[in-house]
Amino acid sequence: MKRYRPHILVVIALAVVLSTGWHGALRNALTDLRFAWQSRPATGNVVVVAIDALSIDQIGVWPWPRRLHAELLHRLEAAGAQDVAFDVDFSTPSDPASDAAFLTALREVGGSTILPSFKQPSPNGGTAHINRPLKLFSNQSWPAVVNVAIESDGLVRRYPVGEKLGESQMPSMAVVLAGQDANRRPPFLIDFSIRASSIPTVSYSDVLRGDAATLGKLRDKKIIVGATALELGDRFSVPNGKIISGPALQALAAESILQNRMLRWTSDVGMFIGLGLICLLMMYSWRRFAPGVRVAVLVAAGGGVELVAAFVQVKWPLIIDTSLFHIAIIAYLTAIALDEIDFRSLLGRIAESRFHRIAMSLGDGLVCTDEDHRITVWNPGASAIFGYMPTEMIGQPFETLCAVPAGAGAKAFAMRDAARQALLVPGGAVVVEFVGRRKNGETFPVEASFSGWQGTDGFQYGAILRDISVRKREAERVRYLAEHDALTGLANRNMLHAGLVGSIADAQRRSCGVALLVIGLDGFQRINDMLGHSAGDLVLQAVADRLKEQAGDGSVVARLSGDEFAIVRESADVGEPIAEFVERIARAFEAPLTTGTRQHRVRISVGVAVYPEGGHNADDLLSNGHLALSKAKLTRRGSHVIFENAIRQELENRLTLESELALAADRGEFELFYQPQVRLVDGGLVGAEALIRWRHPVRGYVSPGEFMPVVNTSALSERIATWVMETAARQARAWELSGNNVRVAINLSPSQLHSGDLAHSVAALLETTGLTPWLLELEVTEDILLHDETRVLDMFKRIQQLGVRILFDDFGTGYASLSYLKKFPLDGLKIDRSFVLDLLADSDDAAIVGSTIGLSKQLGLTVMAEGIENRATADFLVSMGCKEGQGYFFGRPMPVAAFETQFLTAALAVVTAA
């Protein structure tokens, strides 16, 4: 048994290697070494047009518009290039104009363009997603697969001839570019003895700008267009510790095809014959020759086999797998020198060599140190991050990479602390952050994952390093956007709420109050509607600036929604009473806001809630502040209201009333009453004013003074106003058909003028009912005329052209009544009852009424007096020249039936007091 122990050891070693697949690593390593020994140049027939750092700097941030690719195609065609392959994703639409330009270029070059398809793994491990060029592009190009397989050691060696995507077999890009058949052949090994540096490469920007020397290199060449810039990340690790770009990898595969170097493994029969020979040789010589002779024989056999394999690989596209042969030799050498060689140390060095190859191919920075924390390994990723070459850093302390703390008392990063933490996590890693320093002195945040292990030369440490400056900036931007309004830069609702919570907590400790101002812009929607949202945005920014200026440093200013802002400030910090503080904020908006070349006058309404009276927490303050703002807008635009509990009850009552009014409209609970309008000389009926009444099923008739203010400021306004006009017009038409020409007056609602085309609605109503136009009279008040005068003026002119009369109601109670008489097309006016009630006793009222009647006659307007409650007043008005009037003396507002009985069916010659 002892005699055959070495051979059993070899058999066991081979069995273990075959069962685990370890021989693949040796096979790959041997093949890679042959590539290094057998360097050969490229043919030059394949040229890479590189999307390099220079092109990105000159053209702009990637991805570029596809019109540039279209222009590139035209340049390549003009230069006499053959086939053009793009290693660029065309699977999603971009700018329509750019896509159209690229499609036109594909058509014009005549179908000689190759566009890529590729599989993209699903993030959750599901079925891979297939990315294909857009159909409009694929119809004008050749399809090709660009996927390559990355082996377990992180390197790319094999290249597929084709791959099945969906239901169809698609050739690979290099195969199409080389003009080879892509029938179902297995992948081949790329010949990495072809030097990647010998592949001609030109810059994308040089081709695009038509550089003559560059274009001269492209005639009759096969072109691969793709990203070579390091920041674009299209990088692959290939044998012998090299990292090349995706286009260069495709070019090497194409060169392998063009040079007939599509490498394939030879049959395993020869390898097994060699294994048998070496085993027979060792069995024969084991006891006959000295160990040194056997070692020499084994070394010579291994070298001879490897020379033969290298020769074959140079002459033919064949790779002889000598891995098992070498493993058998190694096993025999191990058996020979088992007592003399530290086998464990050997395995450790092999593992370190493998680790070193992997480390050199990592995109992240990898740094290893010895137990004294001096750098022993420095990979290209670390060079890319810090700017130091390996020769500059090997042997230097790890702290060389760390920035000196800027602040006094700040603690510098210590490698020993990170190493100590790494030792406390067996088999794991400790992730820390520190401030790094590049070779040029620039500082930046670094994320480092530290680990430690026992190496052949003592305890060692490793750190995977990442530049996280971009991640930090993005995280800071996300945090800023989560807390601030993107347009104005003010705090948003979330940040305001957090600040309000903090202020309340602080106020509880200091026993003071917290004032919350909820600010609404009055009429802001008109700016958006008339000037556009861009102008509105400028106004909002100007409002934000003025609020910040007036609120001071101790306040939190926020934007809550479109045209709502808020200010939070502790009352102890205001330095003035809350009411004065609010008034000062409001007065600040008396001056116009300047945005560019425009000036805007914006008024604000303010609702105030003060802790603790106005709410005990942030949510209550915000809710009550909005209630106070609603009250301020309902009371008078441009005012401010401090929240009281009565406001909530009032607004809740209003909401209840609005709900009941909506139900009333649905159930038909509204009625029209009519108040007679007469000739003052003889009491003859000339018309009637239609007045709405609400017959509540429980409360009976509800006073219009209670519900009409709510109707006029609610969403029901237009609906109810339209119903009033239609009902009154139909009633007037019914009286007209019965032989009674009763002129019906209707009070207009502001919503009828602001929400649509009133003139068109009146014309449609006249056409539908058949009512004679002069029997319809529309009464308007000053508050209706205040808004959008130009539009209202045009509308009134069109209504008058229909033959409908327009009267100015409540004349004398506003601020600009005389100017409206001149500006607007009116047929008459109604003297407000406030001047008529005390007409006999108050000389001022008599003077005003007399002047109004005289002015009306000069302007050609009819005059009607309201509020006549006795014969003496009526006679006095007749003596002053007033011809028409209405009031309780002639009749109260009454239902249709009562009106018809009293005024239409009874022949009244003289109206006497009731």
Side-chain angles (χ1 to χ4, degrees), residues 428-494:
V430 174
V431 179
V432 300
E433 291 186 13
F434 66 89
V435 179
R437 181 176 58 83
R438 305 189 205 275
K439 184 177 180 180
N440 60 8
E442 177 188 354
T443 60
F444 64 103
V446 179
E447 181 184 81
S449 178
F450 287 96
S451 58
W453 66 91
Q454 180 64 49
T456 57
D457 297 327
F459 212 83
Q460 300 179 17
Y461 300 95
I464 296 177
L465 308 175
R466 295 184 179 89
D467 179 353
I468 58 172
S469 53
V470 174
R471 187 204 305 174
K472 288 279 189 180
R473 286 195 298 270
E474 288 301 317
E476 181 63 25
R477 173 171 173 76
V478 170
R479 187 193 65 79
Y480 179 85
L481 293 177
E483 296 178 348
H484 293 80
D485 175 56
L487 176 64
T488 62
L490 299 178
N492 61 12
R493 180 181 290 271
N494 293 334

Side-chain angles (χ1 to χ4, degrees), residues 813-828:
T813 60
Y815 296 100
S817 298
L818 293 177
S819 66
Y820 288 148
L821 293 180
K822 176 182 178 182
K823 185 183 302 182
F824 287 93
L826 300 171
D827 296 290

Side-chain angles (χ1 to χ4, degrees), residues 671-677 687-693 704 708 720-721 723-732 735 742-748 775-779 809 830 864 866 886 892-896 899:
E671 296 180 6
L672 285 186
F673 279 26
Y674 296 88
Q675 185 175 24
Q677 297 174 335
E689 181 177 4
L691 301 169
I692 190 170
R693 294 294 184 268
M708 281 308 296
I720 293 177
W723 176 83
V724 169
M725 180 178 288
E726 292 178 352
T727 303
R730 289 192 179 93
Q731 184 60 60
W735 287 334
V742 180
R743 186 183 68 208
V744 176
I746 302 167
N747 292 290
L748 287 181
L775 294 178
L776 181 61
E777 192 171 79
L778 304 181
E779 297 183 1
D809 195 9
K830 298 179 73 173
M864 177 171 290
E866 296 180 299
Q886 69 182 84
R892 294 174 176 269
M894 60 191 74
V896 174
F899 184 87

Side-chain angles (χ1 to χ4, degrees), residues 124-140:
N124 56 8
T127 305
H129 177 68
I130 299 175
N131 287 339
R132 304 175 186 269
L134 296 175
K135 189 171 183 59
L136 69 164
F137 296 155
S138 61
N139 289 339
Q140 305 295 328

